[in-house]
Amino acid sequence: MLERLEIHNYALIEDSVLELEKGFSVITGETGAGKSIILGALSLLLGEKTEVQSIRSGCDSATVSASFFVHSPVPPHLGSFLEREQLELEDDTLLVSRTIKSNGRSSITMCGRLCTRSDLALITSELLDISAQRDHQSLLSSAHQLAVLDSFGSVGEQKGSYRICYERVVELKTQYRQYLEKMEASKREEDYLRFAVDEIVKVGPKSGEDEEIQEQVRRIASFEQIYDALSLCMELLHGGGENTQGALSQLHQAKTQLEHAQKGDPSLSAYAQRLESASIELEDIYESLRDYLGGMSYSEAELDRLQGRLALLQRLKKKYGYSLDAVLAFLAESQQKLNLSEEGEILLSKLEKQISLANQELANAALVLRTKRREAAQRLQEDVEQRLKSLGMKEARFSILFQETEPGPSGSDEVSFAICANPGLPMRSIKDVASGGELSRIMLAVKTSLAESDSIPTLIFDEVDAGIGGSVALAVAQQLVHLGRTHQVIVITHLASIASKADTQFVVSKDIRNQMSYSTIRIVKGDARQKEIARMLSGDDNSPESLEHAKKLLQETP
């Protein structure tokens, strides 16, 4: 509930603080004293757009702050905000503040953390509702009317079953749409993909093949260089040509001389053995190079073949991938798409059957939910009509109209609260009702009927007393008292018969100091309250008759 409201430099209010209690409270005061300013300040907390003209003359900014006691469980939007911002309520209290600056900018804080206007609107709409000449009347929203009806009718179980069916249909339709899009894309690409697959398969590339061919081409192209170098190397090893004595021959001679030397010094035998090993290794190298050289051949045709193959592979890489591995990946993906196109019709047919079955289950769940809602609507209509009669609308008829819509998350129903205030007139949606006072009474009747199911804890009414008096005013007061037992109810009223039944009364007054107007708000009790009720009765708060009448009103219980 709303525990504290602070208003600073807003319109005619310089500094005012309201400490609010639970139950039924009224705000009274003479016309023009500034009661509407309080509504304007509260509207700012509901996310309404700001106007710099609302800033008190001579000030740079205006601030409206409020503290709400939040009962458990925490409302959904507030819970999401606290989780997102990693915040916790201190002593179950939510602190909200909004500042308007003269440069047109504004700032909003919640629990000391900056937040957006949309966050503010979502969160405070769960805590506060204003009914005042089309200002923030949540019951005018068809979606909220449906939510209220569902809460009144306790349709949670049926709604949950419907939601499961609805999400299943959405999931299947999403699968169908995505698969269909893939198929259509595949069909658009089919000619290109078939050409690409045929071209790649015809060439038949293998991973790393281009690198192997490049190495072969490099060897063939360097045939003469390799042949000449190896031939000279063999001459140097074995001798012949200009090198009549090769390295192997000289190595053998060196080994012979070392063997002679070791006869005189046996310690040289280790060197002789190492020289023997080197001789064997060098001989093996010579024979291997001789075999390699003997197997070398130059083929212009083979070079042309390899270069042609390499050109094919390079063309594939240029068209389908930066490497042969990328080309092969493209081939696999393209074949998969072609298979998808060929097999897709079968899968789509299966999905269509599943969707048809899921739609039938959804329709059945929607029918069960609609039946439960219509039963609840009948009870709510009768209850609201009875309350409207006691509120001075004796001929009024209240109806909840149903219209079947496309299935959505909340069902396939759209509801509209409708009213016929006078016999002979057609039913009209309550959002089309012209009279602000009449509309407020409809809101009061509906909200009282829904007292146990409406989750918004604080309800504010303005002009609920428009055009009524006498016994009707007393009936309105009784309704407000009844509503105040389950909600925090704040009413701006001009009627003493309503104000006298409140648990708490605030008075707004205006005075002029130093050629400046000031509106102030104060709580009244005892004699001060009796005088205010007397003023409301006759305009004279000192008249003995008015004071006596006020005393009787305050002593009466609703």
Side-chain angles (χ1 to χ4, degrees), residues 255-269:
K255 185 180 70 168
T256 300
Q257 295 303 319
L258 190 55
E259 288 172 349
H260 290 317
Q262 77 175 11
K263 290 177 181 179
D265 185 357
S267 66
L268 296 173
S269 62

Side-chain angles (χ1 to χ4, degrees), residues 146 366 369-370 373 402-405 410-415:
L146 183 63
L369 178 58
R370 183 178 302 116
R373 281 171 170 166
F402 279 76
Q403 181 176 349
E404 190 170 347
T405 63
S410 299
S412 57
D413 302 313
E414 183 178 293
V415 300

Side-chain angles (χ1 to χ4, degrees), residues 224-243 245-247 286 289 293:
E224 185 176 349
Q225 175 188 348
I226 296 171
Y227 187 86
D228 290 345
L230 288 180
S231 296
L232 179 58
C233 179
M234 292 182 66
E235 285 183 14
L236 293 171
L237 289 173
H238 202 271
E242 295 181 0
N243 300 290
Q245 192 175 22
Y286 170 77
L289 291 176
L293 191 60

Side-chain angles (χ1 to χ4, degrees), residues 136-331:
H136 254 281
Q137 299 170 37
S138 59
L139 280 178
L140 295 184
S141 160
S142 178
H144 188 70
Q145 290 173 6
L146 183 63
V148 165
L149 177 61
D150 287 348
S151 180
F152 179 82
S154 301
V155 300
E157 181 181 347
Q158 294 77 9
K159 204 170 183 178
S161 299
Y162 169 87
R163 187 62 180 261
I164 293 172
C165 295
Y166 175 76
E167 289 176 351
R168 174 62 176 161
V169 170
V170 170
E171 180 185 2
L172 287 171
K173 287 184 175 180
T174 300
Q175 291 179 12
Y176 184 89
R177 184 181 66 256
Q178 292 174 344
Y179 206 84
L180 185 61
E181 288 173 354
K182 288 181 180 179
M183 278 190 57
E184 290 174 347
S186 295
K187 286 180 180 179
R188 289 193 298 269
E189 296 179 306
E190 189 170 354
D191 291 341
Y192 165 72
L193 292 177
R194 289 195 183 282
F195 173 81
V197 168
D198 290 344
E199 183 178 23
I200 297 172
V201 170
K202 186 176 181 180
V203 174
K206 297 178 178 60
S207 179
E209 181 185 0
D210 52 341
E211 295 176 357
E212 294 177 6
I213 292 177
Q214 286 173 347
E215 184 62 29
Q216 292 178 41
V217 168
R218 187 161 45 250
R219 286 200 302 269
I220 294 175
S222 304
F223 177 84
E224 185 176 349
Q225 175 188 348
I226 296 171
Y227 187 86
D228 290 345
L230 288 180
S231 296
L232 179 58
C233 179
M234 292 182 66
E235 285 183 14
L236 293 171
L237 289 173
H238 202 271
E242 295 181 0
N243 300 290
T244 55
Q245 192 175 22
L248 283 170
S249 177
Q250 292 180 5
L251 189 60
H252 284 304
Q253 292 177 19
K255 185 180 70 168
T256 300
Q257 295 303 319
L258 190 55
E259 288 172 349
H260 290 317
Q262 77 175 11
K263 290 177 181 179
D265 185 357
S267 66
L268 296 173
S269 62
Y271 296 109
Q273 291 174 3
R274 289 170 64 185
L275 201 56
E276 175 70 21
S277 297
S279 177
I280 293 171
E281 178 68 16
L282 198 58
E283 186 72 37
D284 184 64
I285 291 172
Y286 170 77
E287 290 176 357
S288 297
L289 291 176
R290 183 187 61 195
D291 293 341
Y292 183 90
L293 191 60
M296 282 187 68
S297 63
Y298 177 80
S299 171
E300 188 74 34
E302 178 64 10
L303 181 60
D304 289 343
R305 186 190 72 79
L306 290 173
Q307 288 178 332
R309 176 69 178 174
L310 188 60
L312 283 174
L313 297 177
Q314 292 295 110
R315 184 161 61 248
L316 290 181
K317 290 195 292 183
K318 187 175 181 180
K319 293 174 69 174
Y320 306 117
Y322 61 91
S323 67
L324 284 187
D325 286 341
V327 172
L328 292 171
F330 173 79
L331 172 64

Side-chain angles (χ1 to χ4, degrees), residues 333-454:
E333 183 182 355
S334 299
Q335 289 173 327
Q336 184 180 15
K337 287 182 178 180
L338 288 172
N339 291 336
L340 178 68
S341 179
E342 293 168 359
E343 300 170 1
E345 295 298 336
I346 298 174
L347 182 56
L348 284 179
S349 178
K350 290 181 179 178
L351 282 173
E352 286 173 354
K353 291 179 181 178
Q354 291 177 346
I355 291 172
S356 177
L357 179 60
N359 273 327
Q360 185 58 51
E361 293 175 350
L362 180 66
N364 293 338
L367 181 59
V368 171
L369 178 58
R370 183 178 302 116
T371 301
K372 183 79 171 178
R373 281 171 170 166
R374 286 187 179 277
E375 292 172 357
Q378 184 61 39
R379 298 196 308 274
L380 182 58
Q381 286 174 180
E382 294 171 358
D383 194 20
V384 171
E385 273 193 10
Q386 289 302 315
R387 295 182 188 279
L388 287 176
K389 285 179 171 55
S390 67
L391 292 174
M393 301 175 70
K394 298 186 180 300
E395 304 296 333
R397 290 184 298 116
F398 178 78
S399 181
I400 300 176
L401 307 178
F402 279 76
Q403 181 176 349
E404 190 170 347
T405 63
E406 286 295 318
S410 299
S412 57
D413 302 313
E414 183 178 293
V415 300
S416 175
F417 290 1
I419 188 77
C420 173
N422 298 292
L425 296 178
M427 281 281 183
R428 291 188 299 161
S429 171
I430 60 173
K431 65 183 179 181
D432 297 325
V433 174
S435 166
E438 189 175 56
L439 185 56
S440 289
R441 275 180 280 167
I442 296 169
M443 294 300 115
L444 178 59
V446 173
K447 287 178 182 291
T448 308
S449 298
L450 302 175
E452 295 181 359
S453 59
D454 196 339

Side-chain angles (χ1 to χ4, degrees), residues 101-120:
K101 298 179 181 178
S102 57
N103 60 8
R105 303 182 69 178
S106 67
S107 62
I108 302 167
T109 60
M110 203 170 305
C111 293
R113 189 71 56 86
L114 287 172
C115 70
T116 64
R117 188 161 67 94
S118 58
D119 279 335
L120 176 70

